[in-house]
Amino acid sequence: MAKLKVGIIFGGVSEEHPVSVKSAREVAKSLDTDKYEPFWIGITESGAWKLCEGPDGDWENDGSRPVVVSPDRTVHGLLVMDEGKYETIRLDVVVPVLHGKLGEDGAIQGLFELSGIPYAGCDVQSSAMCMDKSLTYLVVSSAGIATPNFWIVSADQNIDADKLTYPVFVKQARSGSSFGVTKVNSKEELASAVKTASEYDSKVLIEEAVVGSEIGCSILGNGQELFAGECDRVALTHGFFRIHQEETPETGSENSSFICPADIPAESRDLVQETAKAIYRALGCRGLARVDLFLLEDGSVMLNEVNTLPGLTSYSRYPRMMAAAGLSLGDVVDRMVSLALADK
């Protein structure tokens, strides 16, 4: 039986480029090469696309050939440049391993739609909606699920800091990471926090601080057929969770650890998983996503955020939750591919 030709795209121009490369390395270790013929497409931090041997080593500078995904559906794959000429490679499916802007926000998903190539993960609409936290909250709250109170501001807006109840979180509205996020404890800190967030996005969110445990839930599937991994709990000693900003996240975080399965009552676990599935469906997600919720003292839950292309690194939460439920990363990739082909 012929192997499936799989384009695996990683890297990217967002602040999460290094995380994406680490995720791709884990995918490379787990990929069943008896079933798949991988074509590794690395996007450099400057935006150059390279057809390389894989995500290890100095793939950005090792002479890898320029490549693009063709929007021409008759090509149904890659255009590989070589000395003024190009060759085509037909792909069966694309697996994006990209995080943050231009990888998780619907932009590259639009290119896949034009190309006609089946692709793993959320579509254009759900990717864009989940990337914008304000839109996520509006859709989820309209489905009857609790969300934090929030206000949308811009960097040059005159904000009445006296009207807010502190602490609040100030963050860029459209990002898949905690870069640019500030916990503001007083009105004197507000302007600086808004300026920091605006360095990452012109749309800034001021969000109420929610008192509760941060519980994650990994989801895999399409439509009504959803599989939920084990929940995890982020245990914080101080501050807030921002592991991708650690210098060596593989060795742990200086203020957080993960408890998986989460040390919460069985009824809370069931509520988190069912609420996460409801959020996933309300936002039109497919393939995979990590849904983060707050578990409040009264036993209710509230949405925190949705990551449509969660980290797949050795220290990432999504693969750990799936592993605790009996699915290896190789199993997850298999299902991602199967779901992409079935959906097409």
Side-chain angles (χ1 to χ4, degrees), residues 48-237:
W49 290 43
K50 307 276 189 177
L51 182 64
C52 51
E53 294 299 316
D56 290 316
D58 188 20
W59 60 270
E60 298 196 33
N61 303 298
D62 65 358
S64 300
R65 290 184 292 169
V67 66
V68 294
V69 172
S70 174
D72 186 335
R73 290 186 169 219
T74 63
V75 174
H76 205 272
L78 305 176
L79 298 177
V80 187
M81 315 302 175
D82 191 3
E83 296 182 355
K85 300 179 181 179
Y86 69 87
E87 65 173 284
T88 62
I89 298 175
R90 186 174 179 86
L91 297 176
D92 295 304
V93 65
V94 173
V95 176
V97 186
L98 294 165
H99 312 308
K101 291 181 180 179
L102 302 181
E104 199 174 346
D105 57 6
I108 202 163
Q109 287 76 13
L111 174 58
F112 302 148
E113 291 285 352
L114 288 170
S115 73
I117 308 169
Y119 60 96
C122 289
D123 64 10
V124 175
Q125 177 177 289
S126 55
S127 296
M129 203 152 40
C130 291
M131 178 60 75
D132 189 322
K133 294 178 178 64
S134 65
L135 296 180
T136 303
Y137 290 163
L138 289 172
V139 171
V140 171
S141 62
S142 72
I145 298 167
T147 66
N149 293 318
F150 68 94
W151 301 266
I152 301 169
V153 300
S154 59
D156 57 356
Q157 186 174 334
N158 186 20
I159 306 165
D160 189 347
D162 291 318
K163 288 188 175 181
L164 300 175
T165 300
Y166 299 90
V168 295
F169 282 95
V170 177
K171 57 183 72 174
Q172 63 274 40
R174 297 165 292 201
S175 176
S177 74
S178 58
F179 289 95
V181 179
T182 306
K183 184 177 183 180
V184 176
N185 293 299
S186 67
K187 65 178 184 180
E188 290 77 18
E189 302 171 4
L190 185 64
S192 174
V194 171
K195 182 179 179 181
T196 297
S198 67
E199 292 174 3
Y200 293 90
D201 190 2
S202 59
K203 187 177 184 180
V204 175
L205 215 63
I206 300 175
E207 186 180 299
E208 70 169 331
V210 177
V211 179
S213 299
E214 185 174 336
I215 310 295
C217 184
S218 56
I219 303 290
L220 186 62
N222 294 348
Q224 297 302 309
E225 299 296 320
L226 301 182
F227 177 83
E230 281 292 347
C231 301
D232 74 354
R233 180 173 73 84
V234 181
L236 289 172
T237 57

Side-chain angles (χ1 to χ4, degrees), residues 249-269:
E250 293 83 357
T251 62
S253 168
E254 56 94 15
N255 76 331
S256 60
S257 59
F258 306 104
I259 299 171
C260 185
D263 51 352
I264 56 178
E267 58 269 24
S268 295
R269 172 184 176 274

